[in-house]
Amino acid sequence: WQFDNSYGRLKDIFYTRLSPVAVRAPEMVIFNESLAGELGLDFTSYDDPELAQIFAGNVLPDGADPIAQAYAGHQFGHPNVLGDGRAILLGEQVSPNGKRFDIQLKGSGQTPYSRNGDGRAALGPMLREFIISEAMAALGIKTTRSLAVIATGEPVFREGALTGAVLTRIADSHLRVGTFEYAAMRRDQVGLQQLLNYSIDRHYPEIKEADNLALSFVEQVMDRQIDLICQWMRVGFIHGVMNTDNMTISGETIDYGPCAFMEAYDPATVFSSIDHRGRYAFGNQPPIAQWNLARLSETLLPLIDEDADTALEKAEEIVMGFMPKFEQAYLKMMGQKIGITASQEGDAELIANLQNLLLKHKLDYTNAFRALSKSKPLEEAIFAGVRQEQEMQDWFARWQVRLDQDELDTQESLTLRVSQNPAFIPRNQLVEEALEAAENSGQMTRFNKLLDVVTKPYKDNPQLQDFQSPMQSGHHFQTFCGT
Ligand code: AMP
Ligand code: MG
């Protein structure tokens, strides 16, 4: 371990120092050796029981400085004081190439921020976070990672008794929009300034010399969030609970509670059982990101300008720039999915027309775009049922004309599409089945197989067609926070 615990050197309002609560009988469920390698950690001389002790929180690694982080957040629009209610940051591991990673145990027992929670996590949701976060990383999307899942040997009580588990989460940092909200709520301007400087040092050193640090910071965080949301939409990812405490400053995807992947294309898709109004629906993710960034900018007003009105004006100007920037980035991303670059008049319409066709025919988002990544897309199974439709034929004809005009040649365009349109995503039903096997009978075979498939998402493999089938239509899939 090479720990340097810089977060713990901030003002003590930002955390509480405490150790994970030991568990009864830790047992290794899964360990991500390649990720350990990236972190510069070599555990070859440890056996599983020793690793289980460490990653359950029973044995602290040398140099760890365990803390629970304080934060606030808007949950479904309502402000709340939160904090790590079931997580402990062990410290920041500095990898051999100098990169800094938070090592956090999730499900590690109660903290002063637990409110009425038990501080624990169940095996199913922790394995779910493991597989989906690793799939996201393999899809090329910025995300927290999963190093290990350890069963605790203790039950947790939710709708019934479940197997308890601890997940080791790795992140560029756990700084959230909600961390800023926390400092602002306390009206602690010294703390706020310190947090801003710290965040810039850690994630945006390139703006250190900016005239208006706070303003440049909001702009930078916004750019990363625009990029992130575009990437989510590229692969049909629905985060499900984009509360401000679940939005990172680093631009990583965080908090894999009720997330899921859209199958049949529909921007109104919602999976979370508690999201009754579709606040966090697939197509609503951009305006929600903007809303969250507005909350971030509000926390920084006193640092943006001494004069309150001027500060507000400057912040608004930045945040109002979200949609035009997003639309440009989105158009570029969607263009790449259909194999075109640069943008031409009419591209947005071409893309929207395709989306309307997918919506109308309830086509699977992933499979449809993957089919477009083949040299004869219309011959692919996904389009078989609708290939005779005049509208569909017209679209393909217009697309062909646009492809011919593009600066990319046929092969380059195909290569681009293959790199942007995954063949494999963690499909909801398959994930559920793998988790059930793991939870009910301790069987990890299915989970491991699915993990293997979804971590090579762009590689065709005709033997894996079973992993490409969407859920039966008519089945309404729901996700739960699992807390
Ligand atoms: P989340 O919905 O996972 O973003 O969590 C929202 C807040 O609830 C955070 O402050 C969590 O730490 C806290 N929380 C979630 N589950 C538990 C639990 N089982 N025990 C204590 N706190 C929890
Ligand atoms: Mg959270």
Side-chain angles (χ1 to χ4, degrees):
W1 294 98
Q2 287 296 332
F3 277 120
D4 173 45
N5 305 315
S6 63
Y7 187 89
R9 294 193 288 269
L10 292 176
K11 279 188 76 168
D12 62 9
I13 58 160
F14 288 113
Y15 50 85
T16 301
R17 246 181 202 103
L18 87 165
S19 290
V21 181
V23 303
R24 201 183 301 148
E27 221 175 289
M28 172 73 71
V29 177
I30 188 165
F31 188 75
N32 189 340
E33 274 175 39
S34 78
L35 178 58
E38 287 175 46
L39 301 172
L41 296 171
D42 176 6
F43 291 114
T44 42
S45 63
Y46 290 69
D47 58 21
D48 279 1
E50 285 172 311
L51 288 178
Q53 291 288 341
I54 296 172
F55 293 106
N58 285 9
V59 173
L60 284 178
D62 285 343
D65 175 19
I67 55 180
Q69 291 177 313
Y71 53 86
H74 278 80
Q75 298 179 298
F76 287 87
H78 305 289
N80 241 327
V81 181
L82 302 164
D84 288 334
R86 55 162 175 172
I88 295 286
L89 177 66
L90 291 180
E92 301 145 27
Q93 163 74 6
V94 181
S95 76
N97 58 15
K99 237 192 125 199
R100 181 180 297 263
F101 297 95
D102 273 9
I103 313 280
Q104 193 203 61
L105 302 182
K106 182 169 170 183
S108 52
Q110 285 179 321
T111 75
Y113 314 106
S114 295
R115 297 172 291 159
N116 293 318
D118 60 2
R120 291 299 183 189
L123 179 63
M126 295 306 99
L127 282 175
R128 194 163 192 279
E129 169 153 351
F130 191 107
I131 197 164
I132 299 185
S133 64
E134 289 307 298
M136 290 289 272
L139 285 162
I141 299 173
K142 275 195 73 148
T143 175
T144 62
R145 303 284 306 269
S146 298
L147 182 64
V149 174
I150 310 295
T152 58
E154 297 174 8
V156 296
F157 299 96
R158 298 294 182 259
E159 53 282 9
L162 301 169
T163 306
V166 174
L167 169 85
T168 305
R169 175 159 73 182
I170 309 299
D172 285 356
S173 85
H174 285 84
L175 298 166
R176 306 152 189 264
V177 168
T179 319
F180 283 84
E181 291 181 283
Y182 174 80
M185 268 175 168
R186 295 180 59 116
R187 303 191 182 282
D188 184 336
Q189 201 156 320
V190 176
L192 190 66
Q193 180 73 59
Q194 192 187 39
L195 182 65
L196 175 66
N197 294 344
Y198 178 78
S199 302
I200 290 174
D201 265 347
R202 197 157 167 185
H203 298 298
Y204 302 97
E206 62 279 11
I207 62 162
K208 260 186 189 158
E209 309 298 323
D211 293 338
N212 192 324
L213 275 186
L215 207 56
S216 299
F217 174 71
V218 173
E219 202 169 13
Q220 296 290 317
V221 176
M222 183 166 102
D223 286 350
R224 282 205 202 165
Q225 285 298 332
I226 286 173
D227 195 45
L228 183 66
I229 309 292
C230 274
Q231 291 298 313
W232 289 356
M233 296 181 85
R234 176 171 67 82
V235 299
F237 179 75
I238 304 170
H239 183 283
V241 60
M242 290 175 68
N243 294 334
T244 54
D245 52 305
N246 295 333
M247 181 179 264
T248 56
I249 294 305
S250 63
E252 292 164 284
T253 312
I254 196 172
D255 216 310
Y256 290 89
C259 66
F261 282 78
M262 177 172 68
E263 295 197 307
Y265 177 76
D266 185 350
T269 307
V270 172
F271 293 116
S272 169
S273 60
I274 58 168
D275 189 1
H276 305 295
R277 297 187 181 183
R279 181 180 170 91
Y280 300 135
F282 178 75
N284 216 30
Q285 298 183 115
I288 286 293
Q290 181 185 30
W291 192 89
N292 290 350
L293 290 158
R295 303 291 79 74
L296 175 66
S297 73
E298 279 166 6
T299 69
L300 290 164
L301 289 176
L303 305 182
I304 290 175
D305 202 286
E306 281 168 13
D307 178 68
D309 292 336
T310 315
L312 192 60
E313 219 171 275
K314 287 180 174 168
E316 265 178 359
E317 194 187 318
I318 299 285
V319 176
M320 293 304 273
F322 182 97
M323 274 304 162
K325 271 190 176 178
F326 177 82
E327 268 153 24
Q328 210 182 351
Y330 178 78
L331 185 61
K332 182 171 174 204
M333 178 277 289
M334 289 303 300
Q336 290 179 345
K337 277 177 82 68
I338 59 168
I340 60 179
T341 54
S343 80
Q344 279 188 15
E345 180 109 11
D347 286 353
E349 201 193 331
L350 185 69
I351 290 160
N353 288 345
L354 173 63
Q355 288 169 326
N356 286 335
L357 286 167
L358 299 185
L359 177 66
K360 178 173 163 192
H361 297 290
K362 300 187 164 55
L363 295 187
D364 184 82
Y365 186 66
T366 303
N367 291 347
F369 280 95
R370 189 67 181 184
L372 296 183
S373 314
K374 302 283 166 64
S375 46
K376 290 192 172 150
L378 259 181
E379 322 296 307
E380 293 292 316
I382 181 94
F383 290 113
V386 289
R387 159 166 84 193
Q388 305 308 338
E389 287 248 342
Q390 194 56 47
E391 278 180 311
M392 196 58 88
Q393 302 227 355
D394 290 348
W395 188 85
F396 273 87
R398 268 181 294 137
W399 179 42
Q400 193 53 58
V401 171
R402 177 63 182 84
L403 284 174
D404 293 341
Q405 291 164 354
D406 203 83
E407 59 191 35
L408 295 185
D409 67 27
T410 309
Q411 193 48 51
E412 287 168 337
S413 172
L414 262 178
T415 308
L416 176 64
R417 278 175 263 159
V418 169
S419 74
Q420 299 301 304
N421 298 319
F424 301 100
I425 53 162
R427 292 194 178 265
N428 304 325
Q429 176 133 26
L430 298 177
V431 172
E432 288 318 296
E433 285 167 7
L435 296 183
E436 262 167 42
E439 282 178 298
N440 299 342
S441 48
Q443 260 297 342
M444 287 294 286
T445 324
R446 277 189 102 118
F447 184 92
N448 289 329
K449 176 66 193 171
L450 185 60
L451 180 65
D452 186 52
V453 172
V454 298
T455 49
K456 298 183 193 84
Y458 298 104
K459 225 175 136 227
D460 278 320
N461 185 340
Q463 275 158 13
L464 298 177
Q465 278 175 10
D466 287 352
F467 292 87
Q468 296 178 295
S469 313
M471 222 172 221
Q472 304 280 314
S473 72
H475 185 113
H476 181 59
F477 179 70
Q478 270 202 324
T479 56
F480 303 89
C481 282
T483 54

